[in-house]
Amino acid sequence: MNRLDELTDIKAQALRGPSDRATEAQHAKGKLTARERIGLLLDKGSFTEVETLRRHRATGFGLEEKKPYTDGVVTGWGTVHGRTVFVYAHDFRIFGGALGEAHAQKIHKIMDMAEAAGAPLISLNDGAGARIQEGVTALAGYGGIFRRNTRASGVIPQISVMLGPCAGGAAYSPALTDFVFMVRDTSQMFITGPDVVRAVTGEEITQNALGGADVHAGTSGVAHFAYDDEESCLEDVRHLLGLLPSNNRDLPPHEFSGDPAERSCDALLDLVPSEPGRSYDMRAVVEEIVDNGEFFEVHPGWAPNILCALARMDGNVVGIVANNPRSMAGVLDIEASEKGARFVQFCDAFNIPLVTLVDVPGFLPGVDQEHGGIIRRGAKLLYAYCNATVPRVSLVLRKAYGGAYIVMDSRSIGADLAFAWPSNEIAVMGAEGAANVIFRREIAAAPNPDEVRAAKIEEYRTALMHPYYAAERGLVDDVIDPRDTRSVLIRALAMLRDKHAGLPSRKHGNPPQ
């Protein structure tokens, strides 16, 4: 056999994988192989692989007899929508996708290449954790990944796609990235598995109940998205990449939408009830004002009382943060604050302007919230907004009470422009609560307390809660017709497109934890 034939044979062996039986076993679990996944993620024919022929050098425990090519991870680069991205994919057919020294070095290399090239990094995770046979060198490999995740944070977009198990320390790499996608039934994430939980606490629980896609997308908030199959999951990864810049020095890609910037939003008059206590779905408002009604919601299943989404307005990508009165009246709580803060920080890191839609009755009261740290955890959202230097435009639709009004990107914490609808009520608290505090003695002493209370409520509302009170004091730039919302926001963002704002010289801030 000449050298070219030998090379062809070796390359074919590496591309084929360990055996047809191993491939069939992977498919039997409802999972694709690493190369099949890469084929769905990247533009057809664009993948260039690196270190295909890498093999481990470990000895002992029978490893010297088993040295497959790739060492259980496929690495390289390609394009998504014509733009370069880097990818690594665990091959569960080889050592269960477990990470050893050579495996880790391949990942380190592709991460370094992504950072140097200024291009997004996508990890397709399907591995059994550290390769036990290689001991501490496997653990050191994870340390190198975590360090690179942290160094690239805010520099290039990092996306983790969970397509199989991810246990122990391995779960910290996805947690350090910007977005986590999971597939129901086949992907799980946990620090300690069901066996350890059973041994330590006596609790009986399945892998999916402990760390499945719906648990992390709806309860823990670890996962941003959950899907029924790998195909739809990877299609949405492609969609998300189409909304993001390649790195923190670029702007998100502009795309002509055909939706007129000056389009009147007449439907908003009916979508949002004028009565402050009535519920509605903020998603319908967002759908009305963005290009062609299309937006990509982040964390749709977790903390639904705040809505975070990426969308386009006049073809330009914006990040939208909005209270959603459909869930818990749109109140801010621990989870909503953390969800909003993380999203604001991401948008600020990657030059995505922020549009904040405000309809908030305040922070959620209660012993659980106070003991759970609503002060420090609610401060995360405040810190994120105050620290953001991208264009920031806020709009008060109805209620904006107390500290929650300040936190939701009010003018006082640095919003570039603040608008309000005529239905806005900006105040320390609702008129009923305010009247009960200010006039409590007078009401209590009155022969007809209910009548006096009603009169005092109206007095407070007339004096301090009319829709022009904040505008008269320069805290709102304009009170606008709801039908003009889209055009007003687009004009404001266009004016702010070249905004330059610096922060004081410092190593880094110390955000609330």
Side-chain angles (χ1 to χ4, degrees), residues 117-360:
L121 174 72
I122 302 98
S123 62
L124 306 180
N125 297 271
D126 185 6
R131 195 173 298 170
I132 299 172
Q133 301 93 320
E134 296 195 32
V136 70
T137 56
L139 296 179
Y142 274 122
I145 292 173
F146 303 158
R147 179 165 56 88
R148 287 168 173 83
N149 283 139
T150 303
R151 190 176 65 195
S153 180
V155 179
I156 56 173
Q158 299 180 82
I159 298 174
S160 297
V161 189
M162 315 311 297
L163 301 167
C166 185
Y172 283 114
S173 177
L176 290 169
T177 61
D178 299 306
F179 296 102
V180 176
F181 290 72
M182 292 189 75
V183 176
R184 294 182 178 93
D185 298 327
T186 58
S187 65
Q188 301 89 27
M189 297 172 66
F190 37 71
I191 298 301
T192 55
D195 293 341
V196 176
V197 171
R198 185 185 308 111
V200 174
T201 70
E203 296 173 282
E204 293 285 345
I205 194 167
T206 65
Q207 288 192 352
N208 277 323
L210 180 63
D214 288 324
V215 169
H216 286 311
T219 302
S220 72
V222 170
H224 299 76
F225 312 98
Y227 299 87
D228 291 328
D229 56 76
E230 296 188 14
E231 290 83 358
S232 58
C233 175
L234 293 169
E235 181 58 36
D236 263 8
V237 175
R238 287 177 56 86
H239 180 59
L240 174 60
L241 286 166
L243 293 166
L244 304 181
S246 293
N247 55 65
N248 65 344
R249 300 182 301 276
D250 288 348
L251 294 175
H254 177 275
E255 184 177 284
F256 177 72
S257 67
D259 192 349
E262 299 297 319
R263 169 172 56 81
S264 179
C265 299
D266 296 358
L268 292 179
L269 298 178
D270 298 320
L271 286 174
V272 181
S274 58
E275 301 89 339
R278 284 185 59 191
S279 174
Y280 66 96
D281 192 345
M282 185 64 81
R283 291 180 180 87
V285 175
V286 174
E287 185 176 335
E288 181 65 20
I289 65 175
V290 301
D291 290 356
N292 303 313
E294 298 176 356
F295 62 93
F296 192 66
E297 187 174 357
V298 176
H299 268 316
W302 185 59
N305 40 320
I306 196 167
L307 184 153
C308 299
L310 294 168
R312 282 190 167 89
M313 299 188 74
D314 198 27
N316 298 303
V317 177
V318 298
I320 296 174
V321 180
N323 311 110
N324 194 350
R326 185 177 182 180
S327 178
M328 300 170 60
V331 71
L332 284 179
D333 64 353
I334 286 171
E335 292 184 348
S337 299
E338 293 189 331
K339 171 180 170 179
R342 176 77 168 170
F343 183 73
V344 168
Q345 288 172 171
F346 175 82
C347 290
D348 184 52
F350 290 103
N351 309 311
I352 299 173
L354 288 161
V355 173
T356 304
L357 305 178
V358 185
D359 191 346
V360 62

Side-chain angles (χ1 to χ4, degrees), residues 31-147:
K31 301 196 295 184
L32 301 174
T33 66
R35 296 184 188 280
E36 289 170 339
R37 290 163 174 166
I38 291 172
L40 287 174
L41 173 66
L42 302 181
D43 297 338
K44 188 175 181 179
S46 69
F47 182 56
T48 298
E49 188 172 353
V50 295
E51 297 201 353
T52 311
L53 306 184
R54 187 71 179 262
R55 304 165 87 178
H56 72 77
R57 300 176 295 178
T59 58
F61 305 102
L63 284 178
E64 62 272 17
E65 305 298 328
K66 189 177 182 182
K67 301 176 68 174
Y69 293 112
T70 75
D71 200 44
V73 64
V74 180
T75 59
W77 74 88
T79 61
V80 173
H81 306 306
R83 295 192 300 149
T84 298
V85 301
F86 289 79
V87 61
Y88 68 86
H90 299 129
D91 191 341
F92 194 82
R93 301 172 303 167
I94 298 174
F95 299 126
L99 181 140
E101 181 184 25
H103 182 122
Q105 288 174 350
K106 288 183 65 174
I107 295 175
H108 296 169
K109 178 174 182 176
I110 212 67
M111 295 179 79
D112 290 341
M113 291 173 69
E115 184 180 349
L121 174 72
I122 302 98
S123 62
L124 306 180
N125 297 271
D126 185 6
R131 195 173 298 170
I132 299 172
Q133 301 93 320
E134 296 195 32
V136 70
T137 56
L139 296 179
Y142 274 122
I145 292 173
F146 303 158
R147 179 165 56 88

Side-chain angles (χ1 to χ4, degrees), residues 470-499:
E472 290 170 359
R473 284 149 183 81
L475 298 174
V476 166
D477 290 288
D478 198 8
V479 179
I480 65 171
D481 185 328
R483 293 170 293 187
D484 297 333
T485 298
R486 173 176 164 83
S487 60
V488 167
L489 293 177
I490 287 175
R491 286 198 296 270
L493 292 169
M495 179 275 293
L496 292 166
R497 190 163 298 138
D498 296 324
K499 172 187 174 183

